[in-house]
Structures are given as C-alpha cells and as structure tokens.
Amino acid sequence: MKTSRITLLIAAIMTVISVEAQKPVLEGESLEAQFEYVKTKSSRWQNYTMVPDPLFEQLKKSTNDTLSAKYNKIKELNQLIAQKNADLAAINTKLTDTQDELQQTIKERNSFTVFGINMSKVAFLSIAGFIFIGLLVVAAAAALLFQKGNMAAKKIKKDQEQLKQEFEDYRQETRKRQEQLVIQHHKEIQKLKGMG
C-alpha cells in the first residue's frame, strides 16, 4: 500500500511536472533565475531533487547558449585585446622612433660644423669663450704695455726737453761768460795798449 501511494504520488508529480515542463523556462532571465525556477518546479524526495527531462533540456540549452555567448564575448574581447596590444606596440614603436628623431634633432640643433669639425654648441661656446677671454687678456696686456711705453716715452720726452733746456741754459750761460771773457779780454788788451 505504501508503494502504491508512492507510485501514485510520483505519477501525479510527473504529470504536474510534464504539464509545467511544457511551459517555456524564463526566457531572457539570468541563469540564476532559471535555476531557481527549475528548483521550484522540481519535486523532492528525501535528499534528491527530480527534474523533469524537458525542463532539464531547456535549462541545459539555456545554459549552453549563455556559456556560448560568454565564450564568444570572451573571444571577441581577446581579439580586441590582441588588436589593442598590436596597436599599442605600433604606437610604442612610433614613439621610440619619434624619441630617437627628437634626440637626433636636438643633437643636430645643438651642434654644427666649424672648419670641417662637428662639435656641440657647448664645446664651441666654451672654446669661443676661452679665445675671447684670451684676446681680452692679450688686449689688456697690450694696453698696459702701450700705456707703460707711452708713459716712458713721455718721461723721455720730458727729460729730453729738460735736458735741452738745461743745455740751452748752459749754452747761454757759457756764451755770456765767453762774451764777458772776450769783453774783459778786450778791455785788458785795451788797457795794455793804453798803457803801453
């Protein structure tokens, strides 16, 4: 009797489930919602859950469709990532080339050729600065030498003028003495002639 009740109960449940199974599983709902629907529509016996085949097949198809859509989305995203990585690699290559060109341009801008020698502007400006400072030192030394020579020439000229003046004074004095001597000598001669 007990087995016939269980059989009758199982037959009634199966009939209800087959009628319910013919209803579409919640289309457009999440997998979680679909599993909950199947759980509510399934019968339980002890620790077992009995899912009717049509409901199970619909759930399986829905799960496979969802997984397939997710796999396709993952595949698309992986392709997109691969494309973005390729684009990024190309951009990095262009960036490296651009940076190399920039460095070369800066190097060329900061250097030029002087007498067939390629040198940087810093080296050229350093050399030019040393040459300029050297020329200033030489010009200052030349100016000092010129001033010293000019002062020496002025002193010599002044000494010469002074010597000339002294000589002229001496000559004048000597001439006057000579004249006085001649006059005195003449007076002496006249005196001697007048005496004699």
Side-chain angles (χ1 to χ4, degrees), residues 128-154:
F130 287 133
I131 290 172
F132 181 73
I133 290 171
L135 289 175
L136 283 177
V137 168
V138 168
L144 287 174
L145 288 175
F146 174 75
Q147 187 177 11
K148 185 177 178 182
N150 193 19
M151 288 173 62
K154 283 182 181 179

